[in-house]
Amino acid sequence: MARFIFITGGVVSSLGKGLASAALGALLQARGFSVRLRKLDPYLNVDPGTMSPFEHGEVFVTDDGAETDLDLGHYERFTGVAARATDSVSSGRIYSNVLEKERRGDYLGKTIQVIPHVTNEIKDFIRIGEDEVDFMLCEIGGTVGDIEGLPFFEAIRQFAQDRPRGQCIFMHLTLLPWIAASGELKTKPTQHSVKELRAIGIAPEILVCRSEQPIPDKEREKIGLFCNVRKESVIAAYDLKSIYEAPLAYHREGLDQAVLDAFAISPAPRPDLRVWQDVADRIHNTDGTVKVAIVGKYTQLEDAYKSIKEALTHGGMANRVKVDVEWVDSEVFDSEDPAPYLEGFHAILVPGGFGERGTEGKIKAAQFARTRGIPYLGICLGMQMAVIEAARNVAGLTAAGSEEFDHEAGATRFEPVVYHLKEWVQGNEKVTRKPSDAKGGTMRLGAYDAVLSEGSRVARAYGGTAIDERHRHRYEVDTKYRETLEAAGLKFSGMSPDGRLPEIVEWADHPWFIGVQFHPELKSKPFAPHPLFADFIRAAVETSRLV
Ligand code: GLN
């Protein structure tokens, strides 16, 4: 039976709860335990699938096809445990389940209330798969005191109460602000935050305190005293050069030891931190820098492309180079020469995206990379744009476009080399979609197999011809144009096993130009960089040596 660690946050948001949870997961693994991490989000959207990346950051897709919070990406990158649909839940999903049961009559005419109906639904969620791991880490989104968060806090309080003593602990993240004028770290906001938690019946065993300055012993004692936490369980979390130093940093501060002590696990198994030492070494000992442009639409919020940014960093670690990422807004050169914006980069990446805005600029970026011999990685929409570019400028299909944009622009005469797929096969099942289906969850989502052509660049990069990767899209490249495009030099080097869906295209006579219909970034890890990102950065290093 699993032990449970509930992770909450206070004082301010964005303290890095997700990162702390992920790092703790990695440390428990280093001590030989199996872990699973979960996120419980108080917002009312049923899932983040329809939330704007501008507002909420990237949507992280799991193998089993759930559109989840980007924190699940952190969890996977630190623990290597593939997240599942059942690792993320929102208030919206919980309420929707409760209301569905109410409509079905499952509650036998009872009055439906937050306690016990909503809290029971949350507790049922927390329990899923508890027998599979040694530790289940559940992070509660938001900050203590948020109105929407209350049912979650109440549910975890009850959960711990329902269980035998010592099976659940609470870890709380806070901020110790530094007041420059008096030269002091302030503990009062932390005291208040813990007071708020205790008022709702939760007494944290561990406090993780974000702080810019080292926490003096005196302050540590004070926090312990006022918050009723052992002094050794007041853990400092300083700003780090790289998030991947977090496991080692938290270990130095004693987080994993404090957690094992809280569970009275003694003697504590010794940690094996070699993986993280190697990761840290690759961050600190680099030889050179490559500059990569991410040409996209959601460039104001870096979190919109979180996994891509991380996967590029991993690609850098694989090659022991630093990767400088610059965000370039493609809309700016929709009807201009992109050269002034793209010259000087050693590689260009066009990420996924939705809608027509900025796509002409992305097509130009693909053309720029193709004609100048710059490494290009097109992901999902970035692949579709590369195909349209090839169709228009090399294969003579001058009116090539995508049905996705036709809907928006109302254009009439165009060649839909990218079209809206309404039927496909997943495993042994046929999946069908209608254009009238609701926006949420109507895409080809989750892991699908692909078969790579022998001798292709991608087969070399992957070191094999059978892969599976995660998808999140409605539109597909039409195989009707395959012959024409291949004759022009754009090879369809990866296909779905039934041969109907193009998964990868590559220019045969280009140093490194690959478009993929899936999202390889979602599976990259610092200790196991994704082969496409590792090879892409290798190619960028070569380009950097030419200039
Ligand atoms: N908008 C495109 C589609 O739905 C691409 C999606 C994506 O890049 N994730 O097919």
Side-chain angles (χ1 to χ4, degrees):
M1 207 187 281
R3 293 178 169 95
F4 290 84
I5 304 171
F6 295 104
I7 299 124
T8 57
V11 183
V12 291
S13 58
S14 307
L15 281 178
K17 255 189 308 175
L19 179 59
S21 310
L24 175 57
L27 288 175
L28 291 169
Q29 285 180 319
R31 300 249 188 189
F33 297 106
S34 60
V35 300
R36 179 163 287 284
L37 284 100
R38 291 216 157 124
K39 180 84 192 279
L40 289 77
D41 267 311
Y43 52 72
L44 285 168
N45 306 61
V46 173
D47 65 42
T50 48
M51 288 163 93
S52 161
F54 285 123
E55 210 168 293
H56 194 69
E58 154 190 288
V59 173
F60 190 81
V61 181
T62 58
D63 279 333
D64 54 3
E67 298 178 282
T68 67
D69 191 86
L70 54 75
D71 271 319
L72 268 68
H74 277 315
Y75 302 164
E76 268 204 50
R77 283 188 283 274
F78 279 82
T79 63
V81 177
R84 299 181 189 150
T86 47
D87 292 332
S88 154
V89 81
S90 63
S91 289
R93 164 75 63 205
I94 294 287
Y95 279 99
S96 134
N97 291 354
V98 168
L99 294 177
E100 200 178 301
K101 287 184 184 167
E102 187 270 337
R103 291 291 83 186
R104 261 202 325 253
D106 290 7
Y107 298 120
L108 307 172
K110 285 260 184 320
T111 306
I112 311 304
Q113 296 182 296
V114 172
I115 306 171
H117 300 97
V118 171
T119 47
N120 281 350
E121 191 68 29
I122 297 170
K123 290 197 282 180
D124 287 346
F125 170 82
I126 294 170
R127 262 193 285 275
I128 298 171
E130 65 169 312
D131 295 329
E132 295 171 20
V133 288
D134 299 322
F135 283 96
M136 191 77 88
L137 283 71
C138 299
E139 176 190 347
I140 315 293
T143 310
V144 60
D146 294 347
I147 290 178
E148 305 97 71
L150 278 173
F152 285 116
F153 284 93
E154 170 60 15
I156 58 175
R157 181 196 69 75
Q158 291 177 15
F159 192 94
Q161 196 60 23
D162 296 343
R163 295 296 170 123
R165 281 213 182 282
Q167 208 196 334
C168 304
I169 65 162
F170 296 94
M171 167 169 136
H172 190 56
L173 251 89
T174 68
L175 174 73
L176 300 181
W178 169 253
I179 306 296
S182 59
E184 280 179 312
L185 272 181
K186 290 299 186 188
T187 65
K188 192 65 93 187
T190 297
Q191 295 178 38
H192 276 290
S193 182
V194 173
K195 199 163 144 197
E196 179 105 24
L197 260 186
R198 293 175 64 182
I200 52 179
I202 294 174
E205 276 86 356
I206 314 255
L207 282 180
V208 174
C209 302
R210 278 298 292 269
S211 145
E212 282 173 35
Q213 306 284 334
I215 308 179
D217 226 31
K218 191 170 83 352
E219 302 306 320
R220 214 181 275 261
E221 249 164 47
K222 186 166 158 194
I223 297 168
L225 181 65
F226 282 92
C227 299
N228 200 33
V229 169
R230 282 161 192 261
K231 191 178 139 204
E232 310 75 58
S233 299
V234 178
I235 307 292
Y238 307 117
D239 296 344
L240 301 168
K241 182 176 168 221
S242 155
I243 55 170
Y244 299 119
E245 294 172 302
L248 293 181
Y250 276 125
H251 177 68
R252 270 195 307 273
E253 293 299 321
L255 175 63
D256 43 336
Q257 188 60 54
V259 166
L260 297 179
D261 288 347
F263 283 111
I265 297 177
S266 171
R270 290 178 68 80
D272 178 353
L273 295 164
R274 276 173 299 179
V275 169
W276 294 103
Q277 280 150 358
D278 179 54
V279 164
D281 183 58
R282 285 172 183 276
I283 295 166
H284 292 291
N285 299 309
T286 51
D287 180 16
T289 300
V290 292
K291 284 178 67 183
V292 180
I294 299 186
V295 181
K297 175 166 77 164
Y298 312 114
T299 46
Q300 303 98 313
L301 180 70
E302 289 202 9
D303 270 359
Y305 300 120
K306 184 79 192 152
S307 293
I308 291 186
K309 174 96 196 295
E310 296 309 320
L312 286 170
T313 304
H314 308 160
M317 289 159 75
N319 293 281
R320 286 198 183 263
V321 289
K322 194 169 164 291
V323 179
D324 262 0
V325 170
E326 234 172 86
W327 311 87
V328 180
D329 183 356
S330 60
E331 223 181 338
V332 178
F333 46 82
D334 260 348
S335 43
E336 254 181 67
D337 178 10
Y341 304 92
L342 297 178
E343 264 162 359
F345 288 106
H346 305 130
I348 293 172
L349 188 152
V350 177
F354 292 84
E356 184 162 17
R357 200 153 62 75
T359 51
E360 286 304 320
K362 292 179 189 175
I363 292 169
K364 289 211 171 85
Q367 182 180 22
F368 178 86
R370 174 178 60 80
T371 53
R372 304 262 190 130
I374 307 288
Y376 176 96
L377 176 57
I379 294 179
C380 209
L381 187 68
M383 172 215 194
Q384 297 172 357
M385 297 306 99
V387 171
I388 293 176
E389 194 280 315
R392 284 188 194 170
N393 302 328
V394 189
L397 302 162
T398 49
S402 165
E403 280 189 358
E404 179 172 10
F405 315 146
D406 182 43
H407 295 312
E408 293 191 1
T412 44
R413 199 194 62 82
F414 82 112
E415 198 98 44
V417 295
V418 179
Y419 73 114
H420 190 178
L421 182 81
K422 297 171 193 82
E423 215 177 271
W424 63 87
V425 184
Q426 182 168 32
N428 293 322
E429 301 212 354
K430 193 162 100 180
V431 188
T432 356
R433 297 277 188 263
K434 292 187 294 299
S436 58
D437 282 345
K439 268 263 188 273
T442 60
M443 287 187 269
R444 186 148 89 93
L445 280 168
Y448 283 84
D449 292 336
V451 183
L452 314 183
S453 320
E454 298 272 359
S456 59
R457 179 173 289 287
V458 278
R460 285 202 302 280
Y462 275 97
T465 56
I467 61 165
D468 73 278
E469 293 281 5
R470 296 183 194 163
H471 290 247
R472 180 173 185 251
H473 58 111
R474 290 192 182 83
Y475 299 86
E476 302 278 347
V477 172
D478 197 336
T479 44
K480 208 162 72 188
Y481 300 94
R482 178 172 182 173
E483 235 173 87
T484 317
L485 288 164
E486 290 207 323
L490 187 73
K491 301 295 175 204
F492 285 42
S493 53
M495 299 293 292
S496 60
D498 64 4
R500 283 188 58 206
L501 306 175
E503 293 279 359
I504 306 177
V505 295
E506 60 184 79
W507 281 106
D509 59 353
H510 186 284
W512 209 99
F513 191 113
I514 291 172
V516 294
Q517 188 57 78
F518 46 81
H519 290 276
E521 72 275 18
L522 302 179
K523 297 221 301 195
S524 189
K525 283 139 197 127
F527 46 82
H530 190 285
L532 280 181
F533 281 89
D535 208 41
F536 178 55
I537 297 299
R538 188 195 49 71
V541 173
E542 272 171 33
T543 312
S544 73
R545 297 215 170 110
L546 296 176
V547 289

